[in-house]
Amino acid sequence: MAFNQDGNIRRQNVRLPPEVNRILFVRNLPYKITADEMYDIFGKYGALRQIRMGNSSETRGKAFVVYEDIFDAKNACDNLSGFNISGRYLVVLYYQASKAFEQVDRNKKRAEIEAMKEKYGVGTPKAE
């Protein structure tokens, strides 16, 4: 490996896959995990910008981890995916905005279709 003057690894001319970014989506977290524990686990791989943990019934056990550097995020994703915490294996993925909003768009379209059906009196026949 090549090092720069500061003693850090030089990362020029490194090509990363297009899905790699600074934001990680983490699933299957223990419900009892604290923010400090999250910072300890994910902070080992580089400087963190923020961690957002779910607190509603739908988002518990999930978190978003944002790194300062994309290479730190890649390193964390590679090393922590499948990591065992309190008997649960973490699922660590790169955040993909397009996939995150697909579900929202799908629900919105479904609501629009239901409103149109109701407006025009169209629907599936009900069994009597």
Side-chain angles (χ1 to χ4, degrees):
M1 283 191 213
F3 291 90
N4 62 13
Q5 295 164 341
D6 299 331
N8 297 326
I9 299 172
R10 197 177 326 154
R11 294 178 174 150
Q12 60 191 26
N13 298 328
V14 175
R15 235 178 224 273
L16 295 173
E19 72 272 4
V20 176
N21 63 42
R22 296 179 317 122
I23 306 170
L24 300 179
F25 175 62
V26 184
R27 292 189 321 211
N28 206 29
L29 285 166
Y31 290 166
K32 303 268 185 201
I33 196 165
T34 65
D36 288 337
E37 291 171 331
M38 290 286 291
Y39 274 97
D40 288 343
I41 293 166
F42 287 89
K44 291 178 183 175
Y45 296 97
L48 295 171
R49 182 165 286 187
Q50 74 176 204
I51 294 179
R52 293 282 181 124
M53 295 174 58
N55 55 8
S56 73
S57 61
E58 291 179 4
T59 59
R60 286 187 73 190
K62 299 174 185 167
F64 291 97
V65 179
V66 183
Y67 280 91
E68 292 286 342
D69 184 38
I70 192 168
F71 291 99
D72 295 338
K74 181 181 183 327
N75 192 18
C77 186
D78 292 345
N79 289 298
L80 290 175
S81 192
F83 188 72
N84 189 342
I85 299 177
S86 301
R88 302 187 73 140
Y89 294 98
L90 296 184
V91 177
V92 183
L93 305 165
Y94 296 107
Y95 172 71
Q96 295 176 340
S98 59
K99 286 190 178 182
F101 291 114
E102 279 179 9
Q103 183 67 27
V104 173
D105 291 342
R106 213 175 298 134
N107 291 340
K108 188 176 177 183
K109 287 286 186 192
R110 195 172 290 130
E112 288 175 4
I113 290 171
E114 290 302 319
M116 294 292 275
K117 282 182 179 180
E118 194 172 302
K119 180 179 179 181
Y120 294 106
V122 177
T124 57
K126 297 180 181 173
E128 293 180 23

